C-alpha cells in the first residue's frame, strides 16, 4: 500500500491510499482482517461541519444508521 499524491492541486488536498495501483476498499480491509463486520465507521468533515456514520456489514452494503 502506498500513500501518494499526484499533482500540485492534490498535494494541498488529500492523499490517495493505493493497493496494487488501485484505491483501497472496505472489502480489502475486511478480507485482510483489518476491519470486522459490525465495526462502526465515522467520516468527519470539520470544514463543512458534516459527520457521516455507518456500520460495516459482511455483504458490503451501505448500512447507515437512522438519524
Amino acid at each position: 500500500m502506498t500513500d501518494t499524491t499526484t499533482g500540485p492541486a492534490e498535494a494541498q488536498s488529500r492523499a490517495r491510499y493505493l493497493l496494487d495501483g488501485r484505491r483501497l476498499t472496505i472489502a480489502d480491509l475486511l478480507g485482510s482482517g483489518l476491519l470486522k463486520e459490525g465495526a462502526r465507521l465515522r467520516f468527519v468533515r470539520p470544514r463543512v461541519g458534516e459527520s457521516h456514520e455507518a456500520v460495516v456489514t459482511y455483504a458490503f452494503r451501505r448500512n447507515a444508521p437512522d438519524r
Side-chain angles (χ1 to χ4, degrees):
M1 180 169 50
T2 59
D3 176 3
T4 63
T5 56
T6 59
E10 180 115 337
Q12 295 177 352
S13 177
R14 62 182 171 156
R16 285 197 230 181
Y17 296 94
L18 304 177
L19 177 65
D20 298 328
R22 62 179 176 77
R23 294 179 85 175
L24 186 67
T25 66
I26 297 294
D28 294 324
L29 297 174
L30 282 165
S32 68
L34 293 171
L35 187 63
K36 303 288 184 194
E37 181 178 8
R40 292 180 142 340
L41 304 177
R42 177 181 286 179
F43 174 59
V44 179
R45 300 182 65 196
R47 290 183 183 175
V48 293
E50 293 179 357
S51 177
H52 306 277
E53 295 181 0
V55 176
V56 176
T57 63
Y58 186 72
F60 312 125
R61 293 185 307 253
R62 183 174 163 243
N63 186 9
D66 293 336
R67 292 187 186 247

